[in-house]
Amino acid sequence: MSNEHTDTDLAFALQVTGFELATEPPAPDTPLARILHLAGEIGYENLTDEHFDLARAGRL
């Protein structure tokens, strides 16, 4: 299966569930941007639920 076909399938699945695939990085002041930054520093495998809670609360 080609990546183009997979991307189209993913985009469709997201669309019917009310989401869309972002092609731009998240705004720097969002929880997602804070999580991505931290993951770059400590590694994705080291993220915990507490990190996500702190990011949502704006304390990360």
Side-chain angles (χ1 to χ4, degrees):
M1 184 181 316
S2 73
N3 280 344
E4 182 179 324
H5 183 69
T6 302
D7 291 345
T8 303
D9 290 346
L10 176 59
F12 176 74
L14 290 170
Q15 181 181 6
V16 295
T17 58
F19 297 92
E20 73 180 72
L21 186 60
T23 57
E24 300 293 323
D29 61 340
T30 63
L32 178 56
R34 292 189 284 272
I35 285 292
L36 291 175
H37 178 77
L38 181 62
E41 291 181 0
I42 67 169
Y44 288 99
E45 66 278 358
N46 296 313
L47 292 174
T48 66
D49 290 341
E50 183 180 6
H51 292 124
F52 287 89
D53 292 340
L54 290 171
R56 281 191 293 271
R59 297 183 312 195
L60 185 63

